Amino acid sequence: MKPFLSFAVLLVACATGLHAAEKPNVLFIAVDDLRPELGCYGSPIAITPNLDALAGDGLLFNRAYCQQAICRPSRASLMTGARPETTGLFHNYVSLRELQPDILTLPQHFIANGYETVYCGKIFHKGDTDEGVSWSRRPVKAVKGMKKPGGTFALPENKKIQTEDRQKMIAKYGEAAKRGLASGPAYEKADVPDTTYVDGYNTQLAIATLKELAADGDKPFFLGMGYKLPHLNWCSPAKYWDLYDPATIPMATETTSPAGGAAMGLHASFELRTRSGIPKSGPLGPELSRTLKHAYLASTSYVDAQIGKLIEALEAAGVRDNTVIVVWGDHGWHLGDMGVWGKATNYEIGTRVPLMIWTPDMKVRGAKTDSLVELVDIFPTLCDLAGVAKPEHLEGHSFVPLLNDPNQKWKKAAFSQYPNPALREWAANPLSPAMRETWFGPLISEVENRIKQQQGDKWDRELFEQHLTGFAMRTDRYRLVLWLDRRKMDSAPVYVELFDHQTDPSETKNIADENIDLVKTLTQQLNAGWKAAL
């Protein structure tokens, strides 16, 4: 195993003279597109015994929120401890280092404080992996006797569909097709071993890497394991599908947009509709919807099983008692809720994430806290747990005190944002001209007409496509969303949404017009920002 590290960072690490016994290890587990659809979060159907057991011996956060409900901005925010307005990263098609070449990341900071850092799978978003800067070591490359997965699908028929779709799309739409227009079927059930798919394979690489780290023992380690499921495409071994009886799977109960909600607040499920066999417009239908939720649940159970294997390996290596374990999802996911399939909204379903932590010496175990926390809080929290100084640039707040007193008074609000979901592609970038030339053209026109009908004279294509952003604040009781022109942040909002979670936890009705004074008060709180919420 050949370590790789910049010379400057290596000097800092050596100068600290730290040893593994002095600081805890960190097992840092990321799960892509995972909403709190877990047994420990009260799901009546999800089979997730390993995450349930971890939460049962650690601390589970009932109200944790991402900073933007899309992969790259969310992960960049978490990994730097800086919010999107600071990183400048609002969509998936620009890199973190391109915008912030000198920003300090969480693992980079741990290297400088004597840690060995390494990852498997997806921690940063693709293109932001930050090799040689955030990671001091490469993971194990292969496990003897184990074949590396050869793509998304295991079944030949699905591989064929994906290949043929891609050829047709590229022939018809050119470069636009290469950005996800032909992704193959949305799901797959195959009677194959766990390691046939990438999450199972990467788990075994992580376990092999963990064994090396534990055997070396001269430094504490920061090991990241990032799971791609339950991100589309939902491909998992048959045994995880077989855990569920499709007839008993509860479906979304609130399947329409909020009454009086922003017409631009919801998208047309573009990401899912790029998949083969999914209608390109209109409702999905009850049978397909049930199959898709089944696929999502099976993917979640598959990931849960891999996490169980990883934690078992941690115990077998003899380092569990000196390791902090944190599990987080990068954003939520609508499974037909509000009529939407996908992430990318400012609502509770899109921004609320699973988050749990286990530490060797926490005083309270198996508790749940309703305290408002954010993914940007993870960086300072891990610094405190490791006894590492917190960098000055951090824009989160360590939640270490909650580990011993989960019910104490905590921050007043959590903040999220998202550029106009209705007129953005699935990567949060503005609609490209090519998108209007695809089968999505009529669907985009339908969405535009809905916005025009609601917004009237406020409609302006450049504003709504390029500059309109929803800024959301979740307090103990309310969710406020201000839709603002980024060019004129001090101007009156284009639209306002307010939801009362005490009486309307599913956010079915916008009550902003009925509560002018309350909106004014909450707007002042949102404008005061995250520092005032502490």
Side-chain angles (χ1 to χ4, degrees):
M1 192 60 50
K2 294 182 179 180
F4 64 112
L5 192 63
S6 69
F7 182 67
V9 173
L10 182 61
L11 286 177
V12 174
C14 290
T16 62
L18 298 173
H19 300 285
E22 298 173 358
K23 293 184 178 295
N25 306 307
V26 177
L27 180 57
F28 187 75
I29 302 174
V31 190
D32 206 347
D33 285 17
L34 179 66
R35 69 193 229 159
E37 191 74 42
L38 306 170
C40 51
Y41 277 97
S43 171
I45 189 69
I47 299 173
T48 52
N50 297 290
L51 286 170
D52 297 349
L54 183 65
D57 195 40
L59 177 63
L60 181 145
F61 296 86
N62 275 326
R63 297 194 296 184
Y65 297 90
C66 67
Q67 275 45 76
Q68 186 173 324
I70 192 75
C71 297
R72 198 167 199 161
S74 176
R75 289 167 183 261
S77 180
L78 186 157
M79 296 298 288
T80 62
R83 297 169 188 268
E85 289 300 304
T86 296
T87 67
L89 210 163
F90 307 119
H91 61 74
N92 284 354
Y93 288 139
V94 62
S95 72
L96 173 64
R97 290 296 181 191
E98 182 180 345
L99 298 175
Q100 302 292 339
D102 300 319
I103 199 164
L104 183 68
T105 71
L106 171 58
Q108 184 184 5
H109 185 53
F110 270 53
I111 291 171
N113 283 276
Y115 274 74
E116 189 88 280
T117 68
V118 60
Y119 79 99
C120 296
K122 182 179 179 181
I123 298 295
F124 287 97
H125 188 70
K126 182 180 179 181
D128 276 344
T129 53
D130 216 29
E131 312 292 350
V133 179
S134 288
W135 310 104
S136 63
R137 183 188 188 106
R138 294 188 187 277
V140 169
K141 289 184 177 181
V143 176
K144 188 175 181 180
M146 188 181 302
K147 183 180 178 181
K148 185 176 181 179
T152 303
F153 302 101
L155 299 178
E157 56 267 37
N158 287 333
K159 291 181 179 181
K160 182 180 179 183
I161 290 172
Q162 183 182 37
T163 299
E164 292 178 348
D165 279 357
R166 184 163 296 176
Q167 290 172 345
K168 291 176 183 177
M169 291 299 97
I170 291 175
K172 189 171 184 179
Y173 299 120
E175 288 297 314
K178 296 179 181 179
R179 296 176 76 167
L181 280 182
S183 300
Y187 57 87
E188 178 177 88
K189 175 183 179 181
D191 189 10
V192 295
D194 287 7
T195 54
T196 302
Y197 296 116
V198 68
D199 281 339
Y201 179 80
N202 282 338
T203 297
Q204 294 305 312
L205 295 185
I207 289 171
T209 303
L210 170 62
K211 291 177 180 178
E212 286 192 350
L213 292 166
D216 289 348
D218 59 336
K219 287 184 179 182
F221 63 77
F222 181 108
L223 173 59
M225 176 61 222
Y227 290 97
K228 293 188 176 181
L229 286 175
H231 189 291
L232 286 165
N233 301 11
W234 297 318
C235 302
S236 60
K239 63 182 178 181
Y240 299 104
W241 288 75
D242 294 342
L243 293 173
Y244 299 92
D245 175 2
T248 65
I249 295 176
M251 304 302 293
T253 56
E254 303 294 344
T255 57
T256 58
S257 58
M264 53 278 187
L266 294 167
H267 51 76
S269 306
F270 286 138
E271 183 180 15
L272 177 62
R273 293 185 192 275
T274 63
R275 269 62 187 179
S276 176
I278 305 298
K280 305 310 174 190
S281 63
L284 302 186
E287 184 177 351
L288 177 58
S289 295
R290 186 171 296 277
T291 299
L292 292 174
K293 187 167 184 181
H294 189 178
Y296 184 93
L297 289 166
S299 297
T300 300
S301 292
Y302 168 54
V303 168
D304 176 81
Q306 308 318 302
I307 292 174
K309 294 175 183 179
L310 188 55
I311 294 175
E312 284 179 7
L314 191 71
E315 294 173 346
V319 293
R320 169 74 184 264
D321 289 342
N322 190 40
T323 301
V324 172
I325 305 172
V326 59
V327 180
W328 53 274
D330 58 353
H331 44 67
W333 226 86
H334 292 249
L335 289 168
D337 313 272
M338 297 183 174
V340 166
W341 291 80
K343 46 200 175 250
T345 76
N346 277 310
Y347 299 117
E348 188 82 358
I349 292 288
T351 59
R352 181 171 170 248
V353 299
L355 175 64
M356 62 187 73
I357 192 167
W358 184 94
T359 73
D361 56 357
M362 58 196 303
K363 294 179 181 178
V364 177
R365 297 195 177 279
K368 297 181 180 182
T369 177
D370 288 329
S371 297
L372 295 166
V373 297
E374 303 169 274
L375 291 183
V376 76
D377 297 335
I378 291 177
F379 193 148
T381 297
L382 291 179
C383 286
D384 279 352
L385 290 172
V388 168
K390 294 189 284 287
E392 292 183 359
H393 79 277
L394 298 184
E395 296 176 337
H397 183 59
S398 170
F399 51 69
V400 165
L402 292 173
L403 273 62
N404 297 325
D405 183 6
N407 299 316
Q408 66 181 280
K409 186 177 180 181
W410 205 243
K411 65 168 68 175
K412 302 181 185 73
F415 300 87
S416 305
Q417 62 190 78
Y418 203 92
N420 186 350
L423 297 178
R424 292 268 165 158
E425 296 181 16
W426 48 89
N429 53 303
L431 288 168
S432 62
M435 275 288 287
R436 296 180 183 278
E437 299 171 7
T438 69
W439 61 69
F440 287 130
L443 189 56
I444 293 169
S445 296
E446 181 183 320
V447 171
E448 280 185 355
N449 289 334
R450 187 175 70 229
I451 297 173
K452 291 175 182 177
Q453 184 176 3
Q454 181 186 70
Q455 297 297 317
D457 293 341
K458 293 182 180 179
W459 167 258
D460 175 84
R461 183 178 301 283
E462 182 180 358
L463 165 62
F464 279 80
E465 286 194 5
Q466 302 292 331
H467 307 293
L468 189 66
T469 293
F471 292 88
M473 179 180 70
R474 176 67 157 91
T475 69
D476 180 61
R477 179 170 177 175
Y478 299 102
R479 173 173 296 276
L480 177 74
V481 185
L482 301 182
W483 292 92
L484 300 173
D485 184 343
R486 296 192 62 86
R487 300 166 300 180
K488 307 172 184 176
M489 293 290 283
D490 294 332
S491 299
V494 173
Y495 203 74
V496 178
E497 293 179 284
L498 177 65
F499 301 95
D500 185 347
H501 274 254
Q502 183 171 294
T503 60
D504 182 24
S506 297
E507 299 180 343
T508 64
K509 183 182 179 182
N510 176 18
I511 59 170
D513 289 345
E514 306 161 25
N515 296 273
I516 302 300
D517 290 341
L518 177 58
V519 166
K520 183 178 179 180
T521 299
L522 291 173
T523 296
Q524 292 173 342
Q525 183 179 354
L526 189 153
N527 289 337
W530 64 271
K531 291 182 180 179
L534 300 179

